[in-house]
Amino acid sequence: MSVRCIANERLDATGFSYTLSLIGGKYKSTILYTLMEFEVVRFNEMKKYIAGISYKTLSATLKELERDQLVHREEYPQIPPKVEYSLTERGKSLIPILDGMCEWGDEHRLPVDAG
C-alpha cells in the first residue's frame, strides 16, 4: 500500500474540483435546488423565490448552468415572451448530491435563537 503525498497531488485534477466548478458559486446550487423542487420554473418565479438575487445575476448564472448542460431553457414564441427552465438529465444526476445536502442541513441545523 502506497502512501499518498500532497506534494504529488493536485486538487484541480479531482472529481471534487470538477463538480465544484459546475455547482459552486453563490447561486448555482440554489438554482439547481429550486429546479429539483419545482421541476419547471419561469424566470420571474425563480427571481421571486430566490430572495436577493438580481436579474443580471440570475440570467448570467442560468446561462452558465445551461452552457454546462445542467439546465434546459425552453422559450415559447408568444407575447409576452415565456421562458421556462428545468433540469437536464445531466442536471438530474445531481439530485442525490442536493438531497444529501438537504438531509445534512435538516439534521445539523442549529436552533434559532429565540432572542
Side-chain angles (χ1 to χ4, degrees):
M1 180 174 150
S2 66
V3 177
R4 291 177 62 200
C5 176
I6 194 167
N8 299 327
E9 302 286 338
R10 289 185 29 195
L11 180 63
D12 64 354
T14 65
F16 174 81
S17 180
Y18 177 71
T19 303
L20 201 57
S21 76
L22 296 178
I23 68 170
K26 188 168 183 179
Y27 291 106
K28 284 184 178 181
S29 294
T30 304
I31 290 169
L32 292 169
Y33 169 80
T34 302
L35 294 173
M36 176 185 82
E37 287 294 303
F38 299 101
E39 296 183 12
V40 177
V41 181
R42 293 179 67 174
F43 184 90
N44 285 330
E45 294 172 330
M46 195 174 313
K47 167 73 175 81
K48 289 177 188 172
Y49 183 73
I50 304 172
I53 192 170
S54 70
Y55 287 102
K56 182 178 178 180
T57 300
L58 178 57
S59 179
T61 306
L62 283 165
K63 284 178 184 172
E64 288 177 26
L65 291 167
E66 187 180 4
R67 180 198 66 214
D68 293 333
Q69 301 175 355
L70 299 175
V71 168
H72 173 72
R73 180 180 189 269
E74 186 72 35
E75 187 173 347
Y76 298 91
Q78 65 186 51
I79 297 175
K82 178 180 173 183
V83 178
E84 294 179 335
Y85 295 90
S86 60
L87 293 175
T88 62
E89 287 304 312
R90 183 175 182 182
K92 289 176 184 176
S93 71
L94 289 168
I95 288 176
I97 294 169
L98 298 170
D99 277 339
M101 292 171 66
C102 293
E103 290 171 17
W104 189 93
D106 288 340
E107 291 173 15
H108 295 90
R109 181 179 301 149
L110 297 175
V112 177
D113 185 20

